[in-house]
Amino acid sequence: MNRLKDETSPYLLQHADNPVDWHPWGAEAFRIAREQDKPVLLSIGYSACHWCHVMAHESFEDEATAGMMNALFVNVKVDREERPDVDDIYMGAVQAIAGQGGWPMTVFLLPDGRPFYGGTYYPKVQRYGTPSFTQLMGAVHNAYRNQRENLEKQADNLHEALKRDVLAIGRADDSGLTNDMLDEAARTMLSSVDRQNGGFGAQPKFPNPISLEFLLRHHARAGDEEALNLATFTLRQMAHGGIYDQIGGGFARYSVDAHWLVPHFEKMLYDNAQLSRLYLHAWQISGDDFFKSIAVDIYDYILREMTASSGGFYSATDADSEGEEGKFFVWTIEEAVEALEPIREQVPRALEIVIETFGMRPQGNFEGANILHLPRPLDETAQLLGLSVDDLISALDWIKRQLYAVRAERVPPGLDDKILTSWNGLMLASLAEAARVLKRDDYLAAARRAGAFLLNQLVDESGRLYRTHKDGRSKLNGYLEDYANLIDALLELYQSTYEEDWFAAARRLADVALTHFPSEDGGFYDTSDDHEALIVRPRNLQDNVTPSGNAMMAKQLLRLAAYTADPRYDEAAREVLRKLSDAMRQYPQAFAESLNAADMLIQGIAEVAVIGDRADGAAIELLDALHQPYRPNLISAFAEDDVEQHELIPLLSARRKRDGKATVYVCRHFACKMPVTTAAETEALLSER
């Protein structure tokens, strides 16, 4: 066992018995590098990464390769999900060197932490113009010993390129934050949609839920039918594809092809958190129950397979099982025949239905087996089979349950069971919103349990967040995205329960973020002011597969400003968005969450206070009028009795029932319309622009 044996990260523990003398990230590794005058070989990946496994099997488990690594370098292994700050810094270096990045990431550092060379996956033997890993190590070692001056210059140049202390972008006022900016960003984004297959660009295809959410918002704001049609077309294509687990629910990380068929089979919590919410919104805005069914399938998958007994949500499942990618998920026709035998009486045509519904073929579509997908809509399949749609759906219910039960007997992919605050925030926000929109008490119970776990286990005695929790241990400083995503979740929980403790916790975390993360020139750093000193302080304003911490924090601060009228929240949010107003216009997909926040600022937030008895049918009807439609720029507060002064949630101050009835106050910037008492009147007020 090497030095990783005491870590909690499943990814690091995967490497704990490598013959490589791995160090976890920390001062000790760099001290040894200085004392021994060796460069640091930094390897960054994550537990569900297929090519990380390939490089591990080829190189890190090989005695000879490990011996060379140990002799020439101090070797450091990092889980990118636990340390997004380290990953962000050195990914920036690799992109500057190689023009692209990815995982596994392999970076060579001077003993002071400055990078001088790097790339991604390196094969065990030279191929396709890529040197073997051992050839690369030999060349780096030679350069370190004989061309140190050149490496120092390279490291200096990279270090300068990575610095983000001052960002000379954006505007000093709100002049760039206009409807015109949103419209131009939407036009640019729509021009890059693949109109044949859905999604953006060619292959590989990533779901890109943040951009699709912006298109839904754009439709809601501007009435752009093209935006709605292309967004829902993409969502339908994705859900029909192999990227979606047709049997167990949930999406894989991405598709290697342009039409969503062949995924890398790892499933990430952050994808399913964002996509469940997106499909929920698509159902709200379109009324199409197909989107609701996908959202529900994702929630049920998460609660069934990705939820700890403590209430938190696990991070990921692997692409591989039994050493083969996708083996757990794919089917041959022979396997389907055997699996469906027990339900032959209930569904006599089960095999025929499976073959036609899921596009199965004797030769398969993936290494001799079949990735299940929907090659055509169900109504067309029903017609092909001579069945009604209802009969087909009923048969598929039997079939899916049976295939799921048989699949569950296979060796499952590895589970990354660490609990990350930021990803849990994304999932909890979606689940809490779904609980009120779908009126699901089971979702609400799970959301409450997850919220209680996060506040009990991921918040320290001083009110600061931890990043990660596993096996009873919470550790690592929380990042900006941890605060922003958990605030989002807590505000959603408040609006689904109207229990004020959730709101109070959200406000406390926002105040911590305003204290420890701001930049002098506006916006926020990704790390706190008392975080471990790295070669630069990370400050990433662009979205990645998850929303940027700056953009998500801006959204939450705008919502808190609407609840509280606290100018600190409003001004801090505006400072983020002013800085990005020109970038959002030019590069909308890189700044889609910032666009979502800008939409909230530009359109203004509907601030709604409801006073009434929640057991009263009239009050329930009023709350439904708020929550059932797609209203992305609405916040709500609730009190059972008349309120004179409310210190925690000033939006509730001076709110009273009208004529003893449940009453709704609709306000913008704390200027309120006359209170109303019916759902129709509420709808009319909310429809005003």
Side-chain angles (χ1 to χ4, degrees):
M1 300 286 283
N2 54 42
R3 291 173 176 83
L4 302 182
K5 61 182 174 60
D6 295 323
E7 295 297 310
T8 58
S9 158
Y11 175 65
L12 298 186
L13 291 173
Q14 286 173 1
H15 295 272
D17 58 356
N18 291 166
V20 179
D21 185 15
W22 290 117
H23 296 252
W25 179 270
E28 176 72 5
F30 290 96
R31 180 189 65 78
I32 293 172
R34 290 191 298 272
E35 290 178 355
Q36 297 183 2
D37 191 24
K38 288 181 177 180
V40 170
L41 192 165
L42 173 63
S43 176
I44 302 179
Y46 59 100
S47 71
C49 166
H50 172 69
W51 285 102
C52 298
H53 298 328
V54 173
M55 191 167 178
H57 296 324
E58 290 179 345
S59 296
F60 305 149
E61 295 171 8
D62 178 69
E63 293 282 353
T65 304
M68 187 175 182
M69 294 172 68
N70 296 338
L72 303 183
F73 304 97
V74 174
N75 303 291
V76 175
K77 178 62 78 172
V78 166
D79 181 341
R80 66 172 295 262
E81 297 166 355
E82 284 195 339
R83 292 301 303 258
D85 53 343
V86 174
D87 180 64
D88 178 67
I89 291 169
Y90 294 105
M91 179 63 76
V94 168
Q95 288 172 333
I97 293 165
Q100 60 183 5
W103 301 276
M105 183 159 56
T106 308
V107 196
F108 297 93
L109 321 178
L110 297 176
D112 62 6
R114 288 177 298 150
F116 61 85
Y117 192 73
T120 55
Y121 162 77
Y122 289 98
K124 187 172 183 179
V125 297
Q126 180 179 356
R127 61 174 180 261
Y128 307 125
T130 301
S132 72
F133 186 45
T134 52
Q135 286 175 321
L136 175 70
M137 289 193 291
V140 168
H141 171 70
N142 180 63
Y144 187 79
R145 290 294 169 219
N146 301 311
Q147 301 173 43
R148 184 76 63 90
E149 186 176 345
N150 289 339
L151 293 190
E152 287 281 353
K153 290 180 181 178
Q154 172 91 347
D156 280 342
N157 291 336
L158 279 171
H159 190 201
E160 284 300 315
L162 293 171
K163 289 181 179 176
R164 304 172 202 169
D165 291 337
V166 176
L167 298 176
I169 59 175
R171 306 187 184 196
D173 57 26
D174 293 353
S175 60
L177 299 171
T178 63
N179 276 306
D180 178 66
M181 181 272 289
L182 295 174
D183 289 340
E184 185 173 340
R187 286 193 296 271
T188 300
M189 190 179 288
L190 287 168
S191 71
S192 64
V193 173
D194 177 349
R195 291 164 189 255
Q196 180 176 352
N197 301 300
F200 298 92
Q203 60 194 49
K205 277 280 179 67
F206 288 82
N208 215 330
I210 311 170
S211 293
L212 294 173
E213 182 70 38
F214 173 64
L215 292 182
L216 293 186
R217 278 179 170 268
H218 175 64
H219 168 76
R221 177 183 61 85
D224 188 333
E225 291 299 321
E226 181 186 38
L228 176 62
N229 291 339
L230 288 177
T232 53
F233 171 67
T234 293
L235 293 177
R236 195 176 295 279
Q237 293 294 101
M238 286 166 45
H240 284 175
I243 191 175
Y244 184 67
D245 182 353
Q246 303 292 337
I247 301 303
F251 282 88
R253 194 165 74 91
Y254 68 97
S255 169
V256 301
D257 58 89
H259 45 280
W260 309 107
L261 176 61
V262 181
H264 274 315
F265 291 84
E266 65 264 35
K267 291 184 186 178
M268 314 301 293
L269 179 65
Y270 61 74
D271 281 322
N272 287 288
Q274 294 175 91
L275 288 167
S276 57
R277 204 171 186 182
L278 181 61
Y279 277 90
L280 180 71
H281 294 166
W283 170 68
Q284 286 179 289
I285 204 168
S286 70
D288 188 332
D289 283 343
F290 174 78
F291 300 118
K292 176 183 176 182
S293 71
I294 299 299
V296 168
D297 280 352
I298 298 172
Y299 293 125
D300 292 348
Y301 152 68
I302 291 294
L303 295 178
R304 183 178 64 244
E305 299 184 27
M306 297 295 288
T307 303
S309 59
S310 60
F313 305 111
Y314 298 137
S315 292
T317 53
D318 210 328
D320 299 2
S321 54
E322 299 184 79
E324 295 183 27
E325 185 181 13
K327 184 175 182 179
F328 181 79
F329 297 99
V330 298
W331 296 83
T332 64
I333 289 179
E334 291 75 19
E335 287 172 332
V337 169
E338 183 177 352
L340 295 172
E341 177 63 25
I343 62 167
R344 187 171 58 179
E345 290 186 11
Q346 292 86 350
V347 189
R349 299 172 63 190
L351 181 62
E352 182 186 7
I353 290 170
V354 162
I355 288 172
E356 294 302 333
T357 300
F358 296 119
M360 296 184 74
R361 295 295 177 263
Q363 69 274 19
N365 56 28
F366 179 75
E367 299 180 359
N370 289 277
I371 299 170
L372 303 188
H373 67 291
L374 301 181
R376 66 186 75 82
L378 286 184
D379 58 345
E380 293 182 18
T381 299
Q383 186 175 12
L384 180 70
L385 293 167
L387 298 171
S388 69
V389 173
D390 287 344
D391 285 345
L392 176 58
I393 291 173
S394 177
L396 287 173
D397 286 343
W398 277 95
I399 288 166
K400 287 183 179 182
R401 285 197 301 271
Q402 180 62 20
L403 292 182
Y404 183 87
V406 171
R407 194 178 77 174
E409 298 299 316
R410 297 175 176 177
V411 176
L415 172 68
D416 188 323
D417 59 351
K418 67 178 181 293
I419 294 170
L420 296 173
T421 302
S422 117
W423 298 6
N424 270 249
L426 291 171
M427 190 67 243
L428 175 52
S430 179
L431 187 64
E433 184 177 0
R436 69 173 179 270
V437 170
L438 301 177
K439 299 184 178 181
R440 290 285 297 260
D441 290 341
D442 53 340
Y443 291 176
L444 187 59
R448 277 197 176 103
R449 192 166 63 250
F453 168 80
L454 292 169
L455 293 181
N456 289 333
Q457 297 297 323
L458 275 302
V459 181
D460 71 14
E461 294 178 355
S462 67
R464 305 284 293 276
L465 286 178
Y466 292 110
R467 169 67 174 179
T468 183
H469 177 94
K470 186 176 181 295
D471 297 335
R473 292 171 57 190
S474 298
K475 65 178 188 178
L476 302 179
N477 291 343
Y479 299 92
L480 180 67
E481 66 174 10
D482 294 308
Y483 285 84
N485 291 342
L486 185 51
I487 292 167
D488 183 29
L490 293 169
L491 291 179
E492 293 300 328
L493 254 178
Y494 167 69
Q495 291 179 99
S496 293
T497 63
Y498 296 116
E499 295 161 359
E500 292 180 4
D501 285 350
W502 304 119
F503 186 91
R507 196 167 181 183
R508 287 195 301 270
L509 291 176
D511 291 341
V512 170
L514 289 178
T515 300
H516 291 287
F517 289 86
S519 164
E520 291 181 2
D521 63 329
F524 300 92
Y525 287 102
D526 294 334
T527 56
S528 60
D529 54 5
D530 53 0
H531 193 76
E532 171 194 353
L534 302 169
I535 61 168
V536 295
R537 191 174 177 189
R539 190 179 183 190
N540 201 336
L541 301 175
Q542 297 185 38
D543 299 320
N544 201 297
V545 290
T546 56
S548 85
N550 270 268
M552 183 61 86
M553 185 59 76
K555 277 178 66 177
Q556 307 324 313
L557 292 174
L558 288 172
R559 295 210 287 174
L560 286 169
Y563 275 113
T564 66
D566 189 329
R568 296 177 307 140
Y569 299 145
D570 182 73
E571 185 59 25
R574 288 174 185 270
E575 281 295 321
V576 173
L577 300 176
R578 289 166 184 158
K579 183 172 291 296
L580 298 176
S581 57
D582 294 333
M584 286 187 273
R585 184 187 291 265
Q586 296 175 48
Y587 310 107
Q589 281 185 258
F591 297 97
E593 191 65 15
S594 297
L595 284 164
N596 291 333
D599 175 80
M600 183 176 285
L601 176 64
I602 292 164
Q603 294 307 298
I605 295 175
E607 307 150 0
V608 183
V610 181
I611 308 298
D613 183 351
R614 289 190 74 180
D616 178 10
I620 293 172
E621 186 179 358
L622 291 176
L623 292 172
D624 285 347
L626 303 182
H627 297 151
Q628 294 307 310
Y630 178 66
R631 304 189 195 278
N633 296 332
L634 180 147
I635 56 134
S636 63
F638 180 88
E640 294 270 351
D641 301 308
D642 294 352
V643 179
E644 293 302 321
Q645 188 68 29
H646 203 295
E647 295 296 330
L648 179 64
I649 309 174
L651 178 59
L652 286 171
S653 295
R655 309 298 183 209
R656 301 173 185 84
K657 295 177 186 176
R658 192 178 185 188
D659 300 326
K661 299 177 182 177
T663 302
V664 177
Y665 294 77
V666 177
C667 316
R668 291 182 187 272
H669 305 296
F670 273 66
C672 302
K673 301 285 186 179
M674 289 295 293
V676 297
T677 57
T678 70
E681 291 171 314
T682 301
E683 178 67 37
L685 289 181
L686 292 173
S687 297
E688 293 180 6
R689 291 195 177 271

